[in-house]
């Protein structure tokens, strides 16, 4: 935006300085993507530090070199906006070297990130699906950077006439790549949020009856937790705690007949245990707590909806 470009340049006191700031921001965005990738893919803290240092120092060094090259260029009148600056001055000595250096460094970094992600994603997990989107976004950014770098070098060398066509196309690529990269890094959180809501709906009716109405004392202080998986896990644990409390009140034996989600749901509704013991209320060996409680919750919902039994207590 022209007014923003001019404001930044005036605040720094150097004509067209906003273009140098944007180059630094782009390198910073590439560094951020690289560091997030390290955090996601490298689990050892020591190994993370070994990656973070060189990446950060290299990027800061590249920004310093680019700024020095930019400031060493001959003074040019303040452009209306960044687009006009690229059109009029992007191929001139100093400005061209600065932009080309930034774009080459960013292009190499984005290409490496793309290769690493492609070899490391697992589409069977939310994080893996997010990394797949990141790979596409960063690949688009690498195309953007290589395209700009190639054009700037060619225009600076006089191999092509200055044109706005590359800037038109690359600006759209930058927007698409940035959006996809941001979406990819947030995808796992978005998917887990909706997955958590779906999982909680599976045993919402059972939770309302068993926990909120009968045994509210088992509720945990984690409703404000930011991690949806933690909320779902705690709600499922509360259901198991409430089942234990109900079993104690009903005097269920410690051991009984093998239980199924349907038999547990019927007992919660009618009070008739059918020989189920306390041991049958727990998830079977190898079964996840949330998965077990969801199964009981679905059976409870089906039983209530069928009208076969009424809630007796």
């Amino acid at each position: 935006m022209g007014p923003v470009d001019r404001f930044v340049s005036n605040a720094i006191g150097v004509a067209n300085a906003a273009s140098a700031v944007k180059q630094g921001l782009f390198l910073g965005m590439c560094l951020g993507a690289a560091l997030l990738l390290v955090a996601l893919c490298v689990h050892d803290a020591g190994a993370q530090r070994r990656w973070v240092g060189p990446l950060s120092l290299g990027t800061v060094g590249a920004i310093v070199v680019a700024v020095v090259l930019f400031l060493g260029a001959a003074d040019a009148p303040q452009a209306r906006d960044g687009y006009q600056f690229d059109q009029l001055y992007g191929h001139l000595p100093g400005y061209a070297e600065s932009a080309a250096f930034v774009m080459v460094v960013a292009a190499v970094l984005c290409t490496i990130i793309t290769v690493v992600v492609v070899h490391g994603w697992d589409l069977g997990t939310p994080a893996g699906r997010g990394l797949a989107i990141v790979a596409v976004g960063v690949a688009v950014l690498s195309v953007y950077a290589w395209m700009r770098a190639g054009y700037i070098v060619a225009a600076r060398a006089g191999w092509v006439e200055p044109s706005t066509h590359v800037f038109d196309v690359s600006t759209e690529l930058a927007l698409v790549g940035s959006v996809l990269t941001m979406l990819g890094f947030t995808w796992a959180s978005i998917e887990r949020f909706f997955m958590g809501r779906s999982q909680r709906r599976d045993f919402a009716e059972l939770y309302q009856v068993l926990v909120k109405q009968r045994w509210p004392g088992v509720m945990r202080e984690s409703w404000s937790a930011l991690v949806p998986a933690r909320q779902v896990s705690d709600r499922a644990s509360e259901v198991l705690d409430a089942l234990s409390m109900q079993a104690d009140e009903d005097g269920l034996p410690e051991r009984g007949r093998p239980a199924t989600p349907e038999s547990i749901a019927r007992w919660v509704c009618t009070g008739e245990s059918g020989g189920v013991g306390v041991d049958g209320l727990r998830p079977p060996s190898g079964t996840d707590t949330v998965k077990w409680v969801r199964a009981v919750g679905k059976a409870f919902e089906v039983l209530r909806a069928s009208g076969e039994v009424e809630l007796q207590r």
Side-chain angles (χ1 to χ4, degrees):
M1 296 176 63
V4 177
D5 270 15
R6 293 191 294 274
F7 173 80
V8 172
S9 299
N10 292 334
I12 296 175
V14 177
N16 303 300
S19 294
V21 171
K22 284 186 284 188
Q23 292 175 9
L25 289 175
F26 181 61
L27 270 181
M29 185 175 70
C30 295
L31 172 63
L35 294 181
L36 284 170
L37 184 63
V38 169
L40 287 172
C41 299
V42 180
H43 302 295
D44 180 68
Q48 285 184 357
R49 285 192 289 270
R50 288 193 294 272
W51 277 102
V52 169
L55 283 171
S56 301
L57 290 175
T59 303
V60 171
I63 291 174
V64 171
V65 171
V67 169
V68 170
L69 290 171
F70 189 94
L71 294 178
D75 291 339
Q78 174 67 43
R80 181 179 65 253
D81 51 30
Y83 184 86
Q84 187 185 59
F85 172 84
D86 289 337
Q87 178 185 3
L88 297 177
Y89 314 128
H91 59 284
L92 298 181
Y95 298 130
E97 285 81 357
S98 174
F101 180 76
V102 167
M103 289 300 141
V104 168
V105 172
V108 170
L109 186 55
C110 287
T111 302
I112 293 173
I113 292 173
T114 303
V115 173
V116 171
V117 172
V118 166
H119 283 83
W121 71 36
D122 176 12
L123 295 179
T125 65
R129 289 186 283 273
L131 285 178
I133 299 174
V134 169
V136 176
V138 177
V140 172
L141 289 178
S142 66
V143 172
Y144 155 82
W146 283 119
M147 181 183 293
R148 281 219 169 197
Y151 165 75
I152 292 169
V153 170
R156 174 71 178 89
W159 299 335
V160 298
E161 291 295 324
S163 169
T164 62
H165 180 66
V166 171
F167 295 131
D168 293 339
V169 175
S170 62
T171 299
E172 295 177 2
L173 288 176
L175 177 61
V176 172
S178 301
V179 170
L180 286 175
T181 301
M182 180 182 67
L183 176 62
F185 279 120
T186 57
W187 181 263
S189 298
I190 294 172
E191 186 172 334
R192 288 189 183 111
F193 172 78
F194 287 104
M195 184 184 298
R197 294 189 62 181
S198 175
Q199 290 174 335
R200 281 170 53 183
R201 279 198 298 269
D202 287 342
F203 59 93
E205 190 172 354
L206 175 66
Y207 186 88
Q208 176 68 29
V209 171
L210 195 60
V211 176
K212 287 195 172 182
Q213 295 179 10
R214 298 186 190 175
W215 304 103
V218 303
M219 296 176 67
R220 305 184 180 193
E221 297 295 330
S222 62
W223 282 100
S224 60
L226 295 178
V227 183
R230 166 73 186 281
Q231 289 189 4
V232 175
S233 177
D234 280 0
R235 301 295 80 76
S237 296
E238 289 170 2
V239 170
L240 290 181
D241 291 343
L243 286 174
S244 296
M245 299 290 288
Q246 190 69 57
D248 184 61
E249 182 175 272
D250 290 358
L252 264 60
E254 184 62 31
R255 297 187 178 279
R257 296 174 56 186
T260 63
E262 290 74 17
S263 63
I264 296 174
R266 184 174 293 275
W267 164 61
V268 172
C269 269
T270 66
E272 300 172 1
S273 66
V276 172
V278 175
D279 60 331
L281 304 179
R282 306 186 188 99
S285 178
T287 302
D288 176 73
T289 298
V290 173
K291 185 176 181 180
W292 175 249
V293 172
R294 288 173 63 196
V296 177
K298 289 178 180 177
F300 183 80
E301 186 175 351
V302 169
L303 191 63
R304 293 286 306 279
S306 68
E308 182 182 340
V309 297
E310 294 291 335
L311 195 62
Q312 302 294 321
R313 51 186 180 176

